[in-house]
Amino acid sequence: SLCRANPDDIALNKLSRRVRASGILYDRQKLPNFKLQSHTSAFGGEEGREISSKEFKGTYLLIAFWGSWKSGSQSALYRLRRFRREMKAKNLEVNAISYSLDCDERELQRIEKADSVDYYSFCDFQSFNSPLVLQWGITDLPFFVLVGPDQRIIATGQDWSRDIEPKVKKVCL
């Protein structure tokens, strides 16, 4: 009700998102269903292809939420690429989704080209108002969601070294 009474209060809206996000995604939870229209793809340039959570069953999936305007986001794309390389070296299949919260299409294309994005990429140019971002309670960037072949969440968090890497080493590598 405070947010409705003060819709322009940025700090209040941010606090409200954080409160609503508390506990939305947690370890061992089944991945909530989602459908996205890919922005770019290494799979034959299938821009606009609809992808859903169901098509990643049986493989590891790493989703990286990022924005070119947010520090740490470049390293998120690097970690995503490195994780895929490490998994491939161990003959484990891993899929990845780059979920950009950018609002500038030219900047997004520049970053994806510079970082050689060769996996699914999604951006609806709505930033933190993107439906999945709101539904999953993503409040800061970068943010990672690692999902196992059983479609259960293995790890989530903003800090790769603290939140994701220890679980990756236990479960995947």
Side-chain angles (χ1 to χ4, degrees), residues 74 81 108-117:
Q74 293 295 121
R81 212 171 40 253
L108 173 62
Q109 289 173 344
R110 185 189 70 74
I111 296 288
E112 287 183 336
K113 184 176 181 180
D115 287 339
S116 303
V117 172

Side-chain angles (χ1 to χ4, degrees), residues 21 24-25 31-34 63 65 131-138 145:
I24 290 177
L25 296 178
L31 178 68
N33 291 331
F34 66 83
I63 305 171
F65 292 85
L132 191 64
V133 171
L134 291 170
Q135 179 187 351
W136 287 8
I138 309 299
V145 179

Side-chain angles (χ1 to χ4, degrees), residues 9 13 17 54 73 79 115 121 123 126 140 150 156 166:
D9 188 330
N13 284 313
R17 280 195 310 270
K54 291 180 172 104
S73 287
R79 299 217 189 251
D115 287 339
S121 174
C123 185
Q126 295 184 51
D140 209 354
D150 60 356
T156 63

Side-chain angles (χ1 to χ4, degrees), residues 27 146 154-156 163-172:
D27 293 0
L146 177 62
I154 295 171
T156 63
D163 302 327
I164 308 299
E165 194 168 35
K167 293 188 180 179
V168 164
K169 287 181 179 179
K170 280 184 191 176
V171 178
C172 308

Side-chain angles (χ1 to χ4, degrees), residues 34-36 50-56:
F34 66 83
K35 287 185 181 182
L36 305 170
E50 186 175 89
I51 55 175
S52 73
S53 53
K54 291 180 172 104
E55 77 182 75
F56 300 107

Side-chain angles (χ1 to χ4, degrees), residues 79-105:
R79 299 217 189 251
L80 183 64
R81 212 171 40 253
R82 191 179 83 192
F83 174 68
R84 289 184 70 224
R85 233 183 359 254
E86 289 171 354
M87 295 287 280
K88 189 174 185 175
K90 298 199 179 291
N91 292 322
L92 294 172
E93 185 179 352
V94 65
N95 284 294
I97 297 175
S98 160
Y99 197 112
S100 172
L101 274 64
D102 276 291
C103 293
D104 182 349
E105 187 169 7

Side-chain angles (χ1 to χ4, degrees), residues 139-150:
T139 59
D140 209 354
L141 301 178
F143 190 85
F144 301 96
V145 179
L146 177 62
V147 182
D150 60 356

